[in-house]
Amino acid sequence: MSGKNDKFLFDSSLLYNLDFSQCVCAFNPAVTPERPGDGLVMRPLQIHDYDKGYLDLLSQLTVVGEITRSRFQDQFGAMKKAANHFVVVIEDVTVGKIISSATLLIEHKFIHRASQRGRVEDVVVHEGHRGKQLAKLMLESLRLLSIELGCYKLTLECDEKMRPFYEKFGFKLGSTLFLQLRFFE
């Protein structure tokens, strides 16, 4: 059965039904997923975002590499099928470009009564749109979404310079070390 949400990575009602009265940060002026700002639309990633500069936006965060339309569509399909990737974007509809993105990745666990852990990944706002509360809106939305999805905790990795920003949302430095083993850039 197909419906209007088929083009999205996940059901958009999950995003629009979040209870923003539970925010830990204040927004001035007020913004929500339904009203992120003039000319802006916040929504789940969709397959057509390849043509709206999504990969160019991600390149402001890290190395993306060459990704063909076909590879993008295959990856989108795999993420949609896995049903544990919640990529949220903000589109500037006046120019048809994606200007912000953040990902909530859900790990299913046996620990904590077979609960779930949420991981925030790939938070980025286009350099021309920073200072408009967009990262704050994205992070608060992912925090609320992780609660809605039943996560027992939410984690993220960040540069030390970003730590004060994330601490505003209640994130604290944990007692464990983060180690990595890279296989390629």
Side-chain angles (χ1 to χ4, degrees):
M1 175 185 243
S2 64
K4 70 177 187 168
N5 274 312
D6 284 351
K7 66 182 177 178
F8 294 124
L9 187 61
F10 64 94
D11 185 344
S12 60
S13 68
L14 287 172
L15 185 61
Y16 302 132
N17 291 332
L18 295 174
D19 182 3
F20 257 64
S21 71
Q22 302 299 311
C23 289
V24 295
C25 290
F27 291 94
N28 187 14
V31 293
T32 65
E34 297 92 351
R35 293 178 306 287
D38 292 338
L40 304 179
V41 172
M42 186 172 178
R43 58 172 171 75
L45 181 72
Q46 62 183 22
I47 202 156
H48 302 295
D49 290 337
Y50 179 88
D51 297 315
K52 295 182 178 182
Y54 179 67
L55 298 176
D56 291 335
L57 173 68
L58 290 180
S59 72
Q60 293 185 20
L61 178 66
T62 190
V63 175
V64 175
E66 288 295 317
I67 299 176
T68 64
R69 177 185 309 280
S70 176
R71 179 67 182 124
F72 181 87
Q73 291 171 343
D74 289 347
Q75 190 76 338
F76 183 94
M79 293 167 83
K80 187 171 177 79
K81 183 178 179 183
N84 67 340
H85 288 77
F86 298 84
V87 181
V88 178
V89 299
I90 296 177
E91 178 182 354
D92 181 339
V93 294
T94 64
V95 294
K97 293 290 182 189
I98 303 301
I99 61 163
S100 184
S101 179
T103 300
L104 172 63
L105 179 62
I106 302 295
E107 298 177 26
H108 298 274
K109 303 283 199 175
F110 285 108
I111 61 174
H112 297 280
R113 297 180 303 277
S115 189
Q116 303 176 129
R117 169 189 175 186
R119 293 174 46 98
V120 174
E121 298 279 344
D122 306 333
V123 178
V124 61
V125 175
H126 187 281
E127 61 191 1
H129 293 272
R130 293 179 186 156
K132 299 177 182 177
Q133 306 185 99
L134 300 181
K136 193 162 93 169
L137 176 61
M138 298 294 262
L139 193 60
E140 191 66 82
S141 296
L142 294 187
R143 188 187 71 77
L144 292 169
L145 183 57
S146 69
I147 294 167
E148 182 68 26
L149 294 173
C151 293
Y152 75 95
K153 76 176 177 180
L154 181 64
T155 63
L156 60 81
E157 303 155 16
C158 70
D159 291 335
E160 181 63 30
K161 67 182 179 186
M162 294 302 297
R163 187 171 151 192
F165 173 74
Y166 290 113
E167 287 175 338
K168 293 176 188 175
F169 299 89
F171 287 94
K172 296 179 174 96
L173 187 61
S175 60
T176 59
L177 294 176
F178 169 73
L179 305 175
Q180 65 178 335
L181 178 60
R182 282 192 182 263
F183 298 106
F184 59 89
E185 283 296 319

